[in-house]
């Protein structure tokens, strides 16, 4: 069981698996907005494995790919917790900073590297993918 929540504690979630399907450090422009300039690390899980409670707001937008995206964040403190893409309802991405133990989710790739600022620090030991990689298989 993996657990986490937002900064203020109003939102809590549990994930009924031992490890994420995939963990990526994303440098798309949206992640730079939400990550205060840096890229954002997100871990993918089967949607069915995640249960959440608390006041989550949903920011809906359309990605460059045309997919409708749902980004869910605490209504009280604003911490971003989940991201979901409508074409992939079986997957949910969890912001790794919201895990009680972020050590459980080490990134395995940098994605959207073409959007990263010139000063970005990219782990030299990880693959660099210019745009969006294929979703994980489950
Ligand atoms: Zn909160
Ligand atoms: Zn991103």
């Amino acid at each position: 069981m993996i657990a986490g929540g937002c900064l203020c504690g109003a939102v809590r979630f549990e994930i009924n698996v031992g490890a994420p399907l995939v963990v990526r450090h994303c440098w798309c422009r949206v992640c730079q907005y939400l990550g205060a300039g840096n890229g954002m690390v997100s871990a993918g899980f089967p949607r069915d494995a995640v249960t959440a409670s608390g006041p989550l707001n949903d920011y809906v937008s359309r990605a460059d790919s045309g997919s409708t995206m749902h980004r869910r964040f605490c209504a009280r403190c604003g911490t971003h917790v989940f991201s979901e893409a409508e074409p992939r309802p079986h997957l949910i991405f969890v912001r790794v900073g919201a895990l009680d133990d972020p050590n459980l989710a080490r990134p395995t790739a940098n994605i959207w590297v073409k959007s990263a600022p010139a000063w970005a620090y990219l782990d030299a030991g990880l693959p660099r993918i210019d745009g969006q990689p294929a979703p994980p298989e489950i």
Side-chain angles (χ1 to χ4, degrees), residues 68-123:
T68 298
M69 302 293 302
H70 295 264
R71 293 183 174 85
R72 301 186 202 280
F73 56 98
C74 175
R76 189 169 149 209
C77 72
T79 301
H80 274 254
V81 182
F82 302 123
S83 173
E84 295 167 86
E86 283 190 2
R88 292 178 289 283
H90 57 295
L91 290 174
I92 186 168
F93 281 81
V94 177
R95 307 309 189 190
V96 167
L99 297 177
D100 288 348
D101 182 4
N103 282 306
L104 296 173
R106 178 185 289 266
T108 58
N110 290 295
I111 66 173
W112 286 101
V113 168
K114 68 181 178 187
S115 307
W119 48 259
Y121 176 77
L122 301 177
D123 186 331

Side-chain angles (χ1 to χ4, degrees), residues 6-137:
C6 67
L7 177 62
C8 78
V11 173
R12 291 293 301 168
F13 60 84
E14 290 185 336
I15 309 171
N16 193 22
V17 294
L21 299 163
V22 66
V23 184
R24 294 164 176 152
H25 195 160
C26 181
W27 291 91
C28 79
R29 283 295 288 131
V30 173
C31 285
Q32 291 175 48
Y33 277 100
L34 302 180
N38 223 314
M40 214 161 39
V41 183
S42 297
F45 292 94
R47 180 68 189 81
D48 293 348
V50 179
T51 53
S53 63
L56 283 168
N57 278 353
D58 182 7
Y59 172 60
V60 182
S61 64
R62 187 171 294 260
D64 289 346
S65 64
S67 298
T68 298
M69 302 293 302
H70 295 264
R71 293 183 174 85
R72 301 186 202 280
F73 56 98
C74 175
R76 189 169 149 209
C77 72
T79 301
H80 274 254
V81 182
F82 302 123
S83 173
E84 295 167 86
E86 283 190 2
R88 292 178 289 283
H90 57 295
L91 290 174
I92 186 168
F93 281 81
V94 177
R95 307 309 189 190
V96 167
L99 297 177
D100 288 348
D101 182 4
N103 282 306
L104 296 173
R106 178 185 289 266
T108 58
N110 290 295
I111 66 173
W112 286 101
V113 168
K114 68 181 178 187
S115 307
W119 48 259
Y121 176 77
L122 301 177
D123 186 331
L126 298 182
R128 296 179 184 192
I129 299 166
D130 264 342
Q132 184 67 36
E137 306 282 336

